[in-house]
Structure formats: C-alpha cells, structure tokens
Amino acid sequence: MTFRTRLVATLFACLAGSALVAAPGILAAPASGATTGAGIANITPYGGYLGNYIAPDGTRVYCIDPVLDWPSGITGDGVLTSSLTTSWGETLDADVLRKFDTVLGRYGQTDDPVLAAAVSAYLYGFTSGYARTYGGGVDAALHFINGEPEVEATFLGIWEEVEASSAPVPPSAEVTIEMSDADAGVVRISAVPADAAGQLILEGAVVADSGESTVAVSGTDSVAIVSTPEDAAVDYSIAATATFVTAAGPQPQVTLYETGSQQRTIRDSGAAPVEFASSARVEVTRPVPTAETPAPTLAETGLAPSGVLGAGVALVTAGLIVPFARRSREYGSRARVIPERD
C-alpha cells in the first residue's frame, strides 16, 4: 500500500468515526424531567410533598402513585386517556375520572402552594395505598394532609363543590320554522347550553332585517325570515341550520404522563370545544292567483245604479206625460167651448 493510499484510508476512517460520534446528538430529541412546582414539602405523615410539578410541556401535573419515587426522570408526552389504573392495577371508574377532570380543570394549573397541596391530596384520596386499604374518599385524602388546617379547609371546600356538581348535560339544539304565510315566518332556536354561540344559515329565505342568508345567533333565539322562491315557483322549500360551539365541560378522562418506573402524573383533559348543530326544513305552497272582476264605477253623485235607473224612468215618464197633459188641456179647452144655437 502506497503512502497516498494509506493517507486516504486514514482520513476516511476518521470521518466515519466522527459521523458515528455525532449521530446520537443529531438524532436524539432533547428530553427532560418534571420540575417541582407549587406545593408544600414534608406535609404528609411520611415526610412527603403535596403539590404539582411542571411537565416538560410547561403544564402543571400531579402525582398519582405515592408509593413510588417522585418523577425526576425523563417525562414523556402527555396522552389523553379515559382508562386510568392505580399502582395496584385497579381501574378507576368513569365518575372518579370525571371528578379528577373537574378538580384539575378548575384548580390544577395553580401556583398557590396551599391550593396545589389540596388538589394533590384529592387525587391521593383515590390512588394511594391508604385508599386501597381503607377505601377511597375524604378520609384517605385527609390522611395525607396530616392535619394542616389551611390545606384541610381548602380541600374540604373542593370536595363539597365537586360532590355537589352533576355530570354535564350533553350539548344539544333544536331548530323549528314557523311560517305565518307563504312569504314570511320565524326560525326559533333552542340550544343547551343556552349561552352557546352559533350561526344560522338559511336556504330559500333570508333574514328579514338584513336580507342576508346567515346571521349570528345564541342558544335561545328567534329570527324573522322572508322567503326567496324562484320566480313563478308555486311549491318550494325553506331550510335552516344552526351550528353552535361550546366548551365540553368535565369529561371522564385525563392527560397522563409517564416517567419510567417513577410516579405517573396527570392533569386535566384539556377538552377541546364541542361543535353541534340542528336543522329544519318546511315545504311551502304559494297560493295560485285568480282573476277578479273589477268593481263597477259609481256616479259622482253617489247614486246607486238603481237610483240612476229610477231617475231615468222618471224623466222618460215625464216626457210622455207633458205632451199628453198639453193635449189634454188643449182638448179640454176645446171641449168647454159650446157653440151657441139659434
């Protein structure tokens, strides 16, 4: 092998080695663990921490496995789940998950250490080994608060509020069209929740006030409409569709973060807005026009036709009577002249 050949081989080997060393740094995505957020240290009977942690995505999360180490390792991405099991393998029911989502959604993203500790205790009330042994609920949560009065009072307020709240009513809407005649009517809208914001789209009609085929509406609304059939159309239809967007409210699901063999953490589901809609359609028949006979024109005097006829008859009669009377007078005069006789 010549010197030139050995030099080229050496350079190739160095470049290949550099690429192998650099590759892990290029391909591996940065990863990090959770950091301590708001809470109270050394509060539990075991000298543990109650509070939240800051996940790599910047949200505040809470531990659910108190028998394991705190989540100091690499934390994965949050995954939305509707199935959550305890560290001993029991699956929490949907009602508990909905309560978790309620508490975490309302109070979870707090930087108040007392409130954060109360939220953490609420979750431990269902996911801890104490809850497994003695039953989940208030007593299991208070066990971890360990008599700290401010956290205990805050926790009890949260507990009462969540227990008093019922499952959210699924959003719904109803649209009806009421026509007063073939040309005009009203679209009535009734939606749950009543404060939902929406849009009404019309076909075969427009909004009476604006002449537009779309208009913003609320969950409880009435919109006057005017039909817009094609020229000479006798039968046509009018359709109305109302589409709404509202917050979904607490759901039986949470966002779960894994940190290897250490404690799992959760936050609220972050439920996206829910879209829902309703439609209605009516068939309309326009009345067929009919020819009408024009009304007679009356004389300016206001006489009825019978009065005009009566007047004419009177005039004709008078025309006949006058000559007759004249002749009668003439005849009468002649009749009264009696010639004298000798």
Side-chain angles (χ1 to χ4, degrees), residues 177-242:
I177 303 173
E178 301 174 5
M179 300 298 293
S180 56
D181 54 45
D183 298 317
V186 176
V187 176
R188 302 195 187 279
I189 302 163
S190 178
V192 175
D195 60 353
Q199 183 181 52
L200 177 67
I201 301 176
L202 299 169
E203 296 178 21
V206 295
V207 179
D209 291 341
S210 66
E212 301 291 333
S213 60
T214 62
V215 63
V217 292
S218 63
T220 302
D221 217 334
S222 296
V223 178
I225 62 172
V226 176
S227 63
T228 57
E230 296 181 1
D231 293 342
V234 176
D235 297 318
Y236 55 93
S237 63
I238 295 175
T241 299

Short mmCIF file of all heavy atoms in Angstrom, two decimals, residues 177-242:
data_model
loop_
_atom_site.label_atom_id
_atom_site.label_comp_id
_atom_site.label_asym_id
_atom_site.label_seq_id
_atom_site.Cartn_x
_atom_site.Cartn_y
_atom_site.Cartn_z
N ILE A 177 -89.14 25.95 12.13
CA ILE A 177 -89.52 27.03 11.23
C ILE A 177 -91.03 27.17 11.28
O ILE A 177 -91.76 26.20 11.04
CB ILE A 177 -89.07 26.75 9.78
CG1 ILE A 177 -87.56 26.52 9.73
CG2 ILE A 177 -89.47 27.91 8.86
CD1 ILE A 177 -87.05 26.07 8.37
N GLU A 178 -91.51 28.37 11.59
CA GLU A 178 -92.95 28.64 11.65
C GLU A 178 -93.28 29.71 10.62
O GLU A 178 -92.81 30.84 10.73
CB GLU A 178 -93.34 29.11 13.06
CG GLU A 178 -93.02 28.11 14.16
CD GLU A 178 -93.29 28.68 15.55
OE1 GLU A 178 -93.82 29.81 15.63
OE2 GLU A 178 -92.97 28.00 16.54
N MET A 179 -94.06 29.35 9.60
CA MET A 179 -94.43 30.29 8.55
C MET A 179 -95.80 30.88 8.84
O MET A 179 -96.78 30.15 9.03
CB MET A 179 -94.44 29.59 7.19
CG MET A 179 -93.09 28.99 6.79
SD MET A 179 -91.79 30.24 6.62
CE MET A 179 -92.37 31.17 5.20
N SER A 180 -95.89 32.20 8.86
CA SER A 180 -97.18 32.87 9.04
C SER A 180 -97.97 32.89 7.74
O SER A 180 -99.19 32.93 7.73
CB SER A 180 -96.97 34.29 9.57
OG SER A 180 -96.11 35.01 8.71
N ASP A 181 -97.27 32.90 6.61
CA ASP A 181 -97.86 32.76 5.28
C ASP A 181 -96.77 32.26 4.35
O ASP A 181 -95.69 31.88 4.81
CB ASP A 181 -98.49 34.07 4.79
CG ASP A 181 -97.50 35.24 4.84
OD1 ASP A 181 -96.34 35.05 4.42
OD2 ASP A 181 -97.88 36.33 5.29
N ALA A 182 -97.03 32.27 3.04
CA ALA A 182 -96.06 31.72 2.10
C ALA A 182 -94.81 32.58 1.97
O ALA A 182 -93.80 32.13 1.44
CB ALA A 182 -96.71 31.54 0.74
N ASP A 183 -94.85 33.81 2.45
CA ASP A 183 -93.74 34.73 2.24
C ASP A 183 -92.93 35.06 3.49
O ASP A 183 -91.81 35.55 3.38
CB ASP A 183 -94.28 36.05 1.65
CG ASP A 183 -94.93 35.83 0.29
OD1 ASP A 183 -94.35 35.08 -0.52
OD2 ASP A 183 -96.00 36.39 0.06
N ALA A 184 -93.45 34.84 4.67
CA ALA A 184 -92.76 35.27 5.89
C ALA A 184 -92.96 34.27 7.01
O ALA A 184 -93.93 33.51 7.04
CB ALA A 184 -93.27 36.65 6.33
N GLY A 185 -92.01 34.26 7.94
CA GLY A 185 -92.10 33.36 9.08
C GLY A 185 -91.02 33.66 10.10
O GLY A 185 -90.36 34.69 10.05
N VAL A 186 -90.82 32.72 11.02
CA VAL A 186 -89.85 32.88 12.11
C VAL A 186 -89.11 31.56 12.29
O VAL A 186 -89.73 30.48 12.29
CB VAL A 186 -90.55 33.28 13.43
CG1 VAL A 186 -89.53 33.33 14.57
CG2 VAL A 186 -91.24 34.62 13.28
N VAL A 187 -87.79 31.65 12.46
CA VAL A 187 -86.98 30.49 12.84
C VAL A 187 -86.73 30.58 14.33
O VAL A 187 -86.21 31.59 14.82
CB VAL A 187 -85.64 30.45 12.09
CG1 VAL A 187 -84.79 29.29 12.57
CG2 VAL A 187 -85.88 30.34 10.59
N ARG A 188 -87.11 29.54 15.06
CA ARG A 188 -86.93 29.51 16.52
C ARG A 188 -85.83 28.51 16.86
O ARG A 188 -85.79 27.40 16.33
CB ARG A 188 -88.23 29.16 17.22
CG ARG A 188 -89.36 30.13 16.90
CD ARG A 188 -90.53 30.00 17.85
NE ARG A 188 -91.64 30.82 17.42
CZ ARG A 188 -91.76 32.12 17.64
NH1 ARG A 188 -90.80 32.75 18.31
NH2 ARG A 188 -92.81 32.80 17.22
N ILE A 189 -84.94 28.94 17.79
CA ILE A 189 -83.76 28.14 18.14
C ILE A 189 -83.75 27.92 19.64
O ILE A 189 -83.95 28.86 20.43
CB ILE A 189 -82.47 28.86 17.72
CG1 ILE A 189 -82.50 29.12 16.20
CG2 ILE A 189 -81.24 28.06 18.11
CD1 ILE A 189 -81.50 30.15 15.77
N SER A 190 -83.50 26.69 20.04
CA SER A 190 -83.37 26.36 21.46
C SER A 190 -82.19 25.40 21.61
O SER A 190 -82.20 24.30 21.06
CB SER A 190 -84.65 25.71 21.99
OG SER A 190 -84.50 25.34 23.34
N ALA A 191 -81.14 25.85 22.34
CA ALA A 191 -79.92 25.04 22.47
C ALA A 191 -79.52 24.92 23.93
O ALA A 191 -79.86 25.75 24.77
CB ALA A 191 -78.78 25.66 21.67
N VAL A 192 -78.80 23.85 24.23
CA VAL A 192 -78.23 23.62 25.56
C VAL A 192 -76.73 23.43 25.37
O VAL A 192 -76.31 22.57 24.59
CB VAL A 192 -78.84 22.37 26.21
CG1 VAL A 192 -78.15 22.07 27.54
CG2 VAL A 192 -80.34 22.54 26.42
N PRO A 193 -75.91 24.27 26.04
CA PRO A 193 -76.27 25.34 26.97
C PRO A 193 -76.82 26.57 26.27
O PRO A 193 -76.53 26.80 25.09
CB PRO A 193 -74.93 25.66 27.65
CG PRO A 193 -73.91 25.32 26.62
CD PRO A 193 -74.44 24.11 25.91
N ALA A 194 -77.61 27.34 27.02
CA ALA A 194 -78.31 28.49 26.43
C ALA A 194 -77.36 29.60 26.00
O ALA A 194 -77.71 30.42 25.17
CB ALA A 194 -79.32 29.04 27.43
N ASP A 195 -76.14 29.64 26.57
CA ASP A 195 -75.21 30.71 26.21
C ASP A 195 -74.27 30.30 25.08
O ASP A 195 -73.30 31.00 24.77
CB ASP A 195 -74.38 31.14 27.42
CG ASP A 195 -73.56 30.00 28.01
OD1 ASP A 195 -73.73 28.85 27.56
OD2 ASP A 195 -72.76 30.26 28.93
N ALA A 196 -74.55 29.19 24.43
CA ALA A 196 -73.71 28.75 23.32
C ALA A 196 -73.80 29.75 22.17
O ALA A 196 -74.87 30.28 21.87
CB ALA A 196 -74.14 27.36 22.84
N ALA A 197 -72.67 30.03 21.53
CA ALA A 197 -72.64 30.95 20.39
C ALA A 197 -72.74 30.16 19.10
O ALA A 197 -72.12 29.10 18.96
CB ALA A 197 -71.35 31.77 20.41
N GLY A 198 -73.55 30.66 18.16
CA GLY A 198 -73.74 29.91 16.93
C GLY A 198 -74.00 30.78 15.73
O GLY A 198 -73.98 32.01 15.80
N GLN A 199 -74.28 30.10 14.61
CA GLN A 199 -74.58 30.78 13.35
C GLN A 199 -75.75 30.07 12.68
O GLN A 199 -75.80 28.84 12.63
CB GLN A 199 -73.37 30.79 12.43
CG GLN A 199 -73.60 31.55 11.12
CD GLN A 199 -72.39 31.51 10.20
OE1 GLN A 199 -71.86 30.43 9.91
NE2 GLN A 199 -71.94 32.66 9.76
N LEU A 200 -76.68 30.87 12.15
CA LEU A 200 -77.84 30.34 11.44
C LEU A 200 -77.63 30.54 9.94
O LEU A 200 -77.29 31.64 9.50
CB LEU A 200 -79.11 31.04 11.90
CG LEU A 200 -80.40 30.62 11.19
CD1 LEU A 200 -80.76 29.17 11.52
CD2 LEU A 200 -81.55 31.56 11.56
N ILE A 201 -77.80 29.47 9.17
CA ILE A 201 -77.68 29.53 7.71
C ILE A 201 -79.03 29.17 7.10
O ILE A 201 -79.61 28.13 7.44
CB ILE A 201 -76.60 28.57 7.21
CG1 ILE A 201 -75.25 28.91 7.84
CG2 ILE A 201 -76.50 28.61 5.69
CD1 ILE A 201 -74.15 27.95 7.47
N LEU A 202 -79.52 30.01 6.20
CA LEU A 202 -80.83 29.83 5.58
C LEU A 202 -80.70 29.44 4.12
O LEU A 202 -79.78 29.89 3.42
CB LEU A 202 -81.65 31.12 5.69
CG LEU A 202 -81.96 31.63 7.10
CD1 LEU A 202 -82.53 33.04 7.03
CD2 LEU A 202 -82.91 30.70 7.81
N GLU A 203 -81.64 28.64 3.65
CA GLU A 203 -81.78 28.30 2.24
C GLU A 203 -83.23 28.55 1.84
O GLU A 203 -84.14 28.09 2.53
CB GLU A 203 -81.43 26.83 1.99
CG GLU A 203 -79.99 26.47 2.29
CD GLU A 203 -79.72 25.00 2.06
OE1 GLU A 203 -80.51 24.36 1.31
OE2 GLU A 203 -78.75 24.47 2.62
N GLY A 204 -83.41 29.27 0.76
CA GLY A 204 -84.76 29.57 0.31
C GLY A 204 -85.40 30.72 1.06
O GLY A 204 -86.59 30.99 0.90
N ALA A 205 -84.63 31.40 1.89
CA ALA A 205 -85.13 32.54 2.66
C ALA A 205 -83.94 33.39 3.10
O ALA A 205 -82.78 32.96 3.04
CB ALA A 205 -85.93 32.08 3.87
N VAL A 206 -84.23 34.59 3.56
CA VAL A 206 -83.22 35.49 4.11
C VAL A 206 -83.74 36.10 5.40
O VAL A 206 -84.94 36.05 5.69
CB VAL A 206 -82.86 36.62 3.11
CG1 VAL A 206 -82.19 36.06 1.87
CG2 VAL A 206 -84.11 37.43 2.75
N VAL A 207 -82.82 36.65 6.17
CA VAL A 207 -83.19 37.33 7.41
C VAL A 207 -83.97 38.60 7.06
O VAL A 207 -83.53 39.39 6.21
CB VAL A 207 -81.94 37.68 8.24
CG1 VAL A 207 -82.34 38.41 9.52
CG2 VAL A 207 -81.15 36.41 8.56
N ALA A 208 -85.11 38.77 7.68
CA ALA A 208 -85.99 39.90 7.32
C ALA A 208 -85.30 41.24 7.55
O ALA A 208 -85.46 42.16 6.74
CB ALA A 208 -87.28 39.82 8.13
N ASP A 209 -84.53 41.38 8.61
CA ASP A 209 -83.92 42.67 8.94
C ASP A 209 -82.77 43.04 8.01
O ASP A 209 -82.59 44.21 7.68
CB ASP A 209 -83.41 42.67 10.38
CG ASP A 209 -84.54 42.64 11.39
OD1 ASP A 209 -85.68 42.99 10.99
OD2 ASP A 209 -84.31 42.28 12.55
N SER A 210 -81.97 42.04 7.59
CA SER A 210 -80.75 42.34 6.84
C SER A 210 -80.77 41.90 5.39
O SER A 210 -79.99 42.41 4.58
CB SER A 210 -79.56 41.67 7.53
OG SER A 210 -79.68 40.26 7.47
N GLY A 211 -81.64 40.95 5.05
CA GLY A 211 -81.63 40.42 3.71
C GLY A 211 -80.51 39.42 3.46
O GLY A 211 -80.30 38.98 2.33
N GLU A 212 -79.77 39.05 4.52
CA GLU A 212 -78.67 38.10 4.41
C GLU A 212 -79.16 36.67 4.69
O GLU A 212 -80.18 36.47 5.35
CB GLU A 212 -77.55 38.45 5.40
CG GLU A 212 -76.96 39.84 5.20
CD GLU A 212 -76.18 39.96 3.91
OE1 GLU A 212 -75.66 38.91 3.45
OE2 GLU A 212 -76.09 41.07 3.37
N SER A 213 -78.39 35.69 4.20
CA SER A 213 -78.76 34.29 4.40
C SER A 213 -78.10 33.69 5.65
O SER A 213 -78.38 32.55 6.00
CB SER A 213 -78.39 33.45 3.18
OG SER A 213 -76.98 33.52 2.95
N THR A 214 -77.23 34.45 6.32
CA THR A 214 -76.59 33.98 7.56
C THR A 214 -76.70 35.06 8.62
O THR A 214 -76.74 36.25 8.31
CB THR A 214 -75.10 33.63 7.34
OG1 THR A 214 -74.40 34.81 6.93
CG2 THR A 214 -74.94 32.56 6.28
N VAL A 215 -76.73 34.61 9.88
CA VAL A 215 -76.80 35.55 10.99
C VAL A 215 -76.29 34.86 12.26
O VAL A 215 -76.47 33.65 12.43
CB VAL A 215 -78.25 36.06 11.21
CG1 VAL A 215 -79.19 34.91 11.60
CG2 VAL A 215 -78.30 37.17 12.25
N ALA A 216 -75.62 35.61 13.13
CA ALA A 216 -75.15 35.07 14.40
C ALA A 216 -76.33 34.91 15.34
O ALA A 216 -77.22 35.78 15.41
CB ALA A 216 -74.10 35.99 15.02
N VAL A 217 -76.36 33.79 16.08
CA VAL A 217 -77.46 33.52 17.00
C VAL A 217 -76.91 33.00 18.32
O VAL A 217 -75.75 32.57 18.40
CB VAL A 217 -78.45 32.49 16.42
CG1 VAL A 217 -79.19 33.05 15.23
CG2 VAL A 217 -77.72 31.20 16.03
N SER A 218 -77.74 33.04 19.35
CA SER A 218 -77.39 32.48 20.65
C SER A 218 -78.19 31.21 20.86
O SER A 218 -78.98 30.80 20.00
CB SER A 218 -77.70 33.49 21.76
OG SER A 218 -79.09 33.77 21.80
N GLY A 219 -78.00 30.59 22.02
CA GLY A 219 -78.67 29.33 22.29
C GLY A 219 -80.17 29.42 22.35
O GLY A 219 -80.86 28.43 22.10
N THR A 220 -80.71 30.58 22.68
CA THR A 220 -82.16 30.79 22.69
C THR A 220 -82.44 32.03 21.87
O THR A 220 -82.13 33.14 22.30
CB THR A 220 -82.69 30.96 24.13
OG1 THR A 220 -82.34 29.81 24.90
CG2 THR A 220 -84.21 31.11 24.13
N ASP A 221 -83.03 31.84 20.68
CA ASP A 221 -83.16 32.97 19.76
C ASP A 221 -84.34 32.76 18.83
O ASP A 221 -84.81 31.63 18.64
CB ASP A 221 -81.87 33.12 18.94
CG ASP A 221 -81.50 34.57 18.70
OD1 ASP A 221 -82.42 35.42 18.71
OD2 ASP A 221 -80.31 34.86 18.50
N SER A 222 -84.82 33.87 18.23
CA SER A 222 -85.85 33.84 17.20
C SER A 222 -85.43 34.80 16.10
O SER A 222 -85.01 35.93 16.37
CB SER A 222 -87.21 34.28 17.76
OG SER A 222 -87.66 33.37 18.75
N VAL A 223 -85.55 34.36 14.85
CA VAL A 223 -85.12 35.17 13.72
C VAL A 223 -86.25 35.25 12.71
O VAL A 223 -86.73 34.22 12.21
CB VAL A 223 -83.86 34.56 13.06
CG1 VAL A 223 -83.45 35.39 11.85
CG2 VAL A 223 -82.72 34.45 14.05
N ALA A 224 -86.70 36.47 12.41
CA ALA A 224 -87.74 36.68 11.40
C ALA A 224 -87.12 36.49 10.01
O ALA A 224 -86.03 36.98 9.73
CB ALA A 224 -88.34 38.07 11.53
N ILE A 225 -87.83 35.76 9.13
CA ILE A 225 -87.32 35.48 7.80
C ILE A 225 -88.33 35.84 6.73
O ILE A 225 -89.53 35.96 7.00
CB ILE A 225 -86.93 33.99 7.65
CG1 ILE A 225 -88.17 33.09 7.84
CG2 ILE A 225 -85.83 33.62 8.63
CD1 ILE A 225 -87.92 31.63 7.51
N VAL A 226 -87.82 36.03 5.51
CA VAL A 226 -88.66 36.28 4.34
C VAL A 226 -88.24 35.28 3.27
O VAL A 226 -87.04 35.09 3.01
CB VAL A 226 -88.46 37.72 3.81
CG1 VAL A 226 -89.27 37.92 2.54
CG2 VAL A 226 -88.87 38.73 4.87
N SER A 227 -89.21 34.60 2.65
CA SER A 227 -88.90 33.59 1.66
C SER A 227 -88.37 34.21 0.38
O SER A 227 -88.69 35.35 0.04
CB SER A 227 -90.13 32.74 1.36
OG SER A 227 -91.15 33.54 0.79
N THR A 228 -87.55 33.44 -0.36
CA THR A 228 -86.98 33.91 -1.62
C THR A 228 -87.12 32.82 -2.69
O THR A 228 -86.11 32.30 -3.20
CB THR A 228 -85.50 34.29 -1.45
OG1 THR A 228 -84.79 33.14 -0.93
CG2 THR A 228 -85.33 35.47 -0.52
N PRO A 229 -88.35 32.46 -3.03
CA PRO A 229 -88.53 31.41 -4.05
C PRO A 229 -88.15 31.91 -5.44
O PRO A 229 -88.08 33.12 -5.68
CB PRO A 229 -90.03 31.11 -3.96
CG PRO A 229 -90.63 32.40 -3.52
CD PRO A 229 -89.63 33.01 -2.57
N GLU A 230 -87.91 30.98 -6.34
CA GLU A 230 -87.66 31.36 -7.73
C GLU A 230 -88.93 31.97 -8.32
O GLU A 230 -90.04 31.67 -7.88
CB GLU A 230 -87.23 30.14 -8.54
CG GLU A 230 -85.90 29.55 -8.09
CD GLU A 230 -85.51 28.37 -8.95
OE1 GLU A 230 -86.27 28.03 -9.88
OE2 GLU A 230 -84.46 27.77 -8.67
N ASP A 231 -88.74 32.80 -9.33
CA ASP A 231 -89.88 33.44 -9.98
C ASP A 231 -90.88 32.41 -10.47
O ASP A 231 -90.51 31.39 -11.04
CB ASP A 231 -89.41 34.30 -11.15
CG ASP A 231 -88.58 35.49 -10.68
OD1 ASP A 231 -88.66 35.82 -9.49
OD2 ASP A 231 -87.84 36.04 -11.51
N ALA A 232 -92.12 32.68 -10.20
CA ALA A 232 -93.25 31.84 -10.64
C ALA A 232 -93.30 30.49 -9.94
O ALA A 232 -94.12 29.64 -10.30
CB ALA A 232 -93.22 31.64 -12.16
N ALA A 233 -92.43 30.25 -8.97
CA ALA A 233 -92.48 28.97 -8.25
C ALA A 233 -93.71 28.92 -7.35
O ALA A 233 -94.00 29.87 -6.62
CB ALA A 233 -91.22 28.79 -7.41
N VAL A 234 -94.41 27.83 -7.42
CA VAL A 234 -95.60 27.64 -6.58
C VAL A 234 -95.24 26.82 -5.35
O VAL A 234 -95.62 27.16 -4.23
CB VAL A 234 -96.72 26.96 -7.38
CG1 VAL A 234 -97.92 26.66 -6.47
CG2 VAL A 234 -97.15 27.84 -8.54
N ASP A 235 -94.48 25.74 -5.56
CA ASP A 235 -94.03 24.89 -4.46
C ASP A 235 -92.52 25.06 -4.27
O ASP A 235 -91.75 24.95 -5.24
CB ASP A 235 -94.34 23.42 -4.74
CG ASP A 235 -95.83 23.16 -4.85
OD1 ASP A 235 -96.59 23.72 -4.04
OD2 ASP A 235 -96.23 22.41 -5.76
N TYR A 236 -92.08 25.32 -3.07
CA TYR A 236 -90.66 25.48 -2.77
C TYR A 236 -90.43 25.14 -1.31
O TYR A 236 -91.37 24.91 -0.53
CB TYR A 236 -90.18 26.90 -3.08
CG TYR A 236 -90.94 27.99 -2.38
CD1 TYR A 236 -90.51 28.51 -1.15
CD2 TYR A 236 -92.10 28.51 -2.94
CE1 TYR A 236 -91.22 29.50 -0.50
CE2 TYR A 236 -92.82 29.51 -2.31
CZ TYR A 236 -92.36 30.01 -1.09
OH TYR A 236 -93.07 30.99 -0.45
N SER A 237 -89.16 25.05 -0.92
CA SER A 237 -88.82 24.69 0.46
C SER A 237 -87.93 25.74 1.08
O SER A 237 -87.20 26.47 0.39
CB SER A 237 -88.13 23.32 0.52
OG SER A 237 -86.91 23.36 -0.18
N ILE A 238 -87.96 25.79 2.41
CA ILE A 238 -87.10 26.68 3.19
C ILE A 238 -86.38 25.81 4.23
O ILE A 238 -87.01 25.01 4.92
CB ILE A 238 -87.91 27.78 3.90
CG1 ILE A 238 -88.56 28.70 2.86
CG2 ILE A 238 -87.04 28.58 4.85
CD1 ILE A 238 -89.49 29.74 3.47
N ALA A 239 -85.07 25.96 4.31
CA ALA A 239 -84.27 25.18 5.26
C ALA A 239 -83.47 26.13 6.16
O ALA A 239 -83.06 27.21 5.73
CB ALA A 239 -83.32 24.24 4.52
N ALA A 240 -83.26 25.71 7.39
CA ALA A 240 -82.48 26.49 8.36
C ALA A 240 -81.58 25.53 9.14
O ALA A 240 -82.05 24.51 9.64
CB ALA A 240 -83.42 27.23 9.32
N THR A 241 -80.30 25.89 9.26
CA THR A 241 -79.34 25.09 10.01
C THR A 241 -78.61 25.99 10.99
O THR A 241 -78.03 27.02 10.60
CB THR A 241 -78.31 24.43 9.08
OG1 THR A 241 -78.99 23.56 8.17
CG2 THR A 241 -77.30 23.61 9.88
N ALA A 242 -78.64 25.63 12.27
CA ALA A 242 -77.94 26.37 13.32
C ALA A 242 -76.78 25.52 13.82
O ALA A 242 -76.99 24.37 14.22
CB ALA A 242 -78.89 26.72 14.46
#
